[in-house]
Amino acid sequence: MNPAPYAYLRGDFVPLDQAFLHVSDLAIQRGYGIFDFLKVQDGHPLFLDYYLDRFYQSAELMELAVPLPRPELEAVLRQLIGRNNLPLSGIKLLLTGGYSSSGYEPPAQANLIITQQPIALPTPEQLARGLRIISHEYVREFPAAKTINYSMGIRLLKRLQALGADEVLYHQQGSVTEFPRANFFIVRPDDTVVTPAANVLGGITRRNILGLSGRPYRIEEGPVTLHDVRQAKEAFLTSTTKLVMPVVQLDDHVIGSGQPGRVTLDLLHALTQLEQQQLTQSYA
Amino acid sequence: MNPAPYAYLRGDFVPLDQAFLHVSDLAIQRGYGIFDFLKVQDGHPLFLDYYLDRFYQSAELMELAVPLPRPELEAVLRQLIGRNNLPLSGIKLLLTGGYSSSGYEPPAQANLIITQQPIALPTPEQLARGLRIISHEYVREFPAAKTINYSMGIRLLKRLQALGADEVLYHQQGSVTEFPRANFFIVRPDDTVVTPAANVLGGITRRNILGLSGRPYRIEEGPVTLHDVRQAKEAFLTSTTKLVMPVVQLDDHVIGSGQPGRVTLDLLHALTQLEQQQLTQSYA
């Protein structure tokens, strides 16, 4: 077995298996904290600026102060990546409410923890099979912030398992928003690609897709209803680790042909190219 | 300084200042956990059965298994109380999602942590002054479960401070529910005492008040609107540590005379007597 990778914990590098927080931390006491998660390939953190923008933004929205200014945080990340030397990994930046003597009022100092662990990309079999999803009415409390509150998503895992479904798609009165840990897109009958605009986390993969140019179809943000999903030709999920994953069924309704669609696969290809460009630029 | 009291952490008694959880715990990763909080006076946990009922109920609602059967949990509580020997204290039972290798899927074993710390009761000055509260539209995600998610309450602390207010009262489209950490009652113009019935945590002090008999006024659960609060003669907050605290102002509206009311103080007296009865029974 490999030794545990290093983590950064409140100012120090420690082996991950020795990374502990005191129970007075507000994440443990009150579920209070924010985080972010980015992918590292061959030593290069992909789209780092976007992830750090979002991390500082989430912290600000939840009134937490990141204890490191951005250049220092970047330096810590590069040190960690150098120490751990993992070929393909995810880095989690976690900022908790900190050690609170009252167990409720946030202290001046938030706790910053950074962990890095190997990740696996979706397999060709998973891509070919696509995802079956169910809908559930729920809106996250602070949709613009990447908080650590996943109570609803975790609480629904057993229902997913019982139904043989892969993911749950949140909606509010039929207006679709996002997955617990991913964004959602559909391809309308006229080939327009659209992702919900309101009450969603600004995913970086979502952002990268919206930023693509020169495709033979439009890509935009806008309202998406459950009805729209049932009428869609294709649908897919986007996330940092899953990139672009076809969605082939919503509740009892098969979407389009029930197979990964042409536009979905074209966008997956475009995203993969974009990641390769990032890597090439990093080496240049 | 006194030495740190003992805590119970995953099967062992440890000094509270040495009570740590690994960062893979689902409370830290995903804000996933439940808890309860009870008062201990002169070695006696007050209304213990009610608190333990609720603790196991919250665990079940969030699909977490308490690692100790109830008689063993009670034995651990009594051991902890004996070791720490504090005159007046609060005991927090905390059940987190446990150490998750994926950082999302709950493991078989949840983590049980029990801490005990001195508490202070409200002073006569605080009682005489009463609480000024503000309203905020929000409903907790799992109102019947005492989950650790207090992101909204904590996020609103700065607003409370800016407005010079003491607490925030949640409502949904004008229908009042509860405080982040307490229940709410009003006294209607006809002297009926009423507490919101729906979308609230079943507080033990609330339950004790609803169970009082022989008062010269009715005490009941029912719908309470923000309009009802403005029309009320009196209002008060109930909690384990605050017992019965007068509420004298909601947003810009002074409630009743703006002073702690007759019914409120009568109920505070009745609750104090009920606690004394519990203590007497414990000694008998």
Side-chain angles (χ1 to χ4, degrees):
Chain A
M1 226 180 113
N2 289 325
Y6 277 91
Y8 175 89
L9 178 85
R10 306 177 73 236
D12 295 310
F13 290 97
V14 297
L16 177 58
D17 56 12
Q18 291 167 35
F20 286 81
L21 286 178
H22 189 256
V23 296
S24 65
D25 190 277
L26 278 189
I28 300 170
Q29 293 289 320
R30 304 290 177 177
Y32 203 81
I34 61 105
F35 75 107
D36 222 299
F37 184 85
L38 58 102
K39 198 161 58 178
V40 180
Q41 197 170 330
D42 302 325
H44 299 282
L46 293 169
F47 310 109
L48 179 62
D49 284 346
Y50 293 164
Y51 288 97
L52 291 184
D53 284 349
R54 188 172 65 177
F55 181 65
Y56 280 89
Q57 198 172 43
S58 293
E60 199 181 330
L61 283 167
M62 300 308 285
E63 298 190 340
L64 292 170
V66 182
L68 294 180
R70 191 150 161 170
E72 288 181 36
L73 177 57
E74 285 194 37
V76 165
L77 284 175
R78 297 202 187 272
Q79 266 186 277
L80 189 70
I81 291 167
R83 272 177 188 253
N84 287 333
N85 193 28
L86 294 163
L88 180 66
S89 66
I91 281 190
K92 186 165 186 169
L93 300 157
L94 178 61
L95 187 69
T96 68
Y99 293 161
S100 166
S101 55
S102 72
Y104 196 75
E105 280 80 18
Q109 179 92 8
N111 282 332
L112 176 63
I113 303 104
I114 310 174
T115 55
Q116 184 183 19
Q117 287 182 282
I119 55 168
L121 299 183
T123 62
E125 291 71 28
Q126 287 171 323
L127 269 173
R129 184 181 164 279
L131 302 173
R132 282 166 290 190
I133 67 175
I134 60 171
S135 58
H136 183 76
E137 182 144 20
Y138 172 68
V139 177
R140 288 192 303 116
E141 295 175 358
F142 303 94
K146 201 166 171 72
T147 73
I148 62 169
N149 178 20
Y150 284 73
S151 296
M152 185 60 78
I154 292 174
R155 182 69 182 67
L156 290 169
L157 284 174
K158 283 198 181 166
R159 192 192 299 175
L160 282 176
Q161 201 174 20
L163 296 171
D166 301 298
E167 294 284 346
V168 58
L169 179 65
Y170 295 143
H171 70 94
Q172 189 173 35
Q173 297 180 319
S175 189
V176 166
T177 54
E178 61 190 356
F179 298 100
R181 297 180 287 174
N183 289 112
F184 182 65
F185 285 76
I186 60 169
V187 181
R188 292 197 197 276
D190 70 354
D191 272 4
T192 304
V193 176
V194 59
T195 186
N199 288 323
V200 300
L201 185 77
I204 307 306
T205 309
R206 174 184 183 274
R207 174 184 178 146
N208 283 336
I209 286 186
L210 287 169
L212 289 173
S213 59
R215 320 311 298 177
Y217 40 80
R218 282 189 303 153
I219 309 173
E220 59 191 33
E221 293 179 281
V224 176
T225 65
L226 289 172
H227 177 77
D228 293 333
V229 182
R230 287 187 289 263
Q231 303 299 313
K233 286 167 78 173
E234 306 176 25
F236 58 92
L237 166 159
T238 62
S239 85
T240 299
T241 49
K242 297 198 168 126
L243 219 54
V244 173
M245 273 293 280
V247 170
V248 296
Q249 185 172 336
L250 169 69
D251 298 323
D252 290 332
H253 181 90
V254 173
I255 296 171
S257 67
Q259 303 288 327
R262 187 180 50 82
V263 174
T264 302
L265 295 176
D266 183 58
L267 286 168
L268 172 58
H269 180 69
L271 256 285
T272 310
Q273 279 192 316
L274 195 66
E275 288 196 349
Q276 290 310 310
Q277 279 170 26
Q278 271 263 317
L279 284 173
T280 315
Q281 283 165 9
S282 300
Y283 285 114
Chain B
M1 227 180 111
N2 290 325
Y6 277 91
Y8 174 90
L9 178 86
R10 306 178 72 236
D12 294 310
F13 290 97
V14 297
L16 177 58
D17 56 11
Q18 291 168 35
F20 287 80
L21 287 178
H22 189 256
V23 296
S24 65
D25 190 278
L26 279 189
I28 300 170
Q29 293 289 321
R30 303 291 176 175
Y32 203 79
I34 61 103
F35 75 107
D36 222 299
F37 184 85
L38 57 102
K39 198 161 61 179
V40 179
Q41 197 169 331
D42 302 326
H44 299 282
L46 293 169
F47 310 108
L48 178 61
D49 284 347
Y50 292 164
Y51 286 98
L52 291 184
D53 284 350
R54 189 173 65 179
F55 181 64
Y56 280 88
Q57 198 172 45
S58 293
E60 199 181 330
L61 283 166
M62 299 309 285
E63 299 190 338
L64 292 171
V66 182
L68 294 180
R70 190 147 161 175
E72 287 181 37
L73 178 56
E74 285 194 35
V76 164
L77 284 176
R78 297 202 187 273
Q79 266 186 276
L80 190 69
I81 291 168
R83 271 177 188 256
N84 287 333
N85 193 28
L86 294 163
L88 180 68
S89 66
I91 282 190
K92 185 164 187 171
L93 300 156
L94 178 61
L95 187 68
T96 68
Y99 293 162
S100 167
S101 56
S102 72
Y104 197 73
E105 280 80 17
Q109 180 92 10
N111 282 332
L112 176 63
I113 304 105
I114 309 173
T115 55
Q116 183 182 19
Q117 287 182 283
I119 55 168
L121 299 183
T123 63
E125 291 70 30
Q126 287 171 322
L127 269 172
R129 184 181 164 279
L131 301 173
R132 281 166 291 188
I133 68 176
I134 60 171
S135 58
H136 183 76
E137 182 145 18
Y138 172 69
V139 177
R140 289 191 303 116
E141 294 174 359
F142 304 95
K146 202 165 168 72
T147 73
I148 61 169
N149 177 20
Y150 284 74
S151 296
M152 185 59 78
I154 291 174
R155 183 68 183 67
L156 290 168
L157 284 173
K158 283 198 181 165
R159 191 193 300 175
L160 282 177
Q161 200 174 20
L163 295 170
D166 301 298
E167 294 285 347
V168 58
L169 179 65
Y170 295 142
H171 69 94
Q172 187 173 36
Q173 296 180 318
S175 189
V176 167
T177 54
E178 60 189 357
F179 297 101
R181 296 182 288 174
N183 288 113
F184 182 64
F185 285 77
I186 60 167
V187 182
R188 291 197 197 277
D190 71 355
D191 271 4
T192 304
V193 177
V194 59
T195 187
N199 288 323
V200 300
L201 185 76
I204 307 305
T205 309
R206 173 184 183 275
R207 174 184 178 146
N208 283 335
I209 286 186
L210 287 169
L212 289 172
S213 58
R215 319 312 297 178
Y217 40 81
R218 281 190 303 154
I219 309 174
E220 60 191 34
E221 294 180 279
V224 176
T225 65
L226 289 172
H227 178 76
D228 293 333
V229 182
R230 287 187 289 264
Q231 302 299 314
K233 285 167 79 173
E234 306 175 25
F236 58 93
L237 166 159
T238 63
S239 86
T240 298
T241 48
K242 297 198 168 128
L243 220 55
V244 173
M245 272 294 281
V247 169
V248 297
Q249 186 172 334
L250 170 68
D251 298 323
D252 291 332
H253 181 88
V254 173
I255 295 171
S257 67
Q259 304 288 325
R262 186 177 52 79
V263 173
T264 301
L265 295 176
D266 184 57
L267 286 168
L268 172 58
H269 180 69
L271 256 285
T272 309
Q273 280 192 315
L274 195 67
E275 288 197 348
Q276 291 309 309
Q277 280 169 27
Q278 271 263 318
L279 284 174
T280 315
Q281 284 165 9
S282 300
Y283 285 114

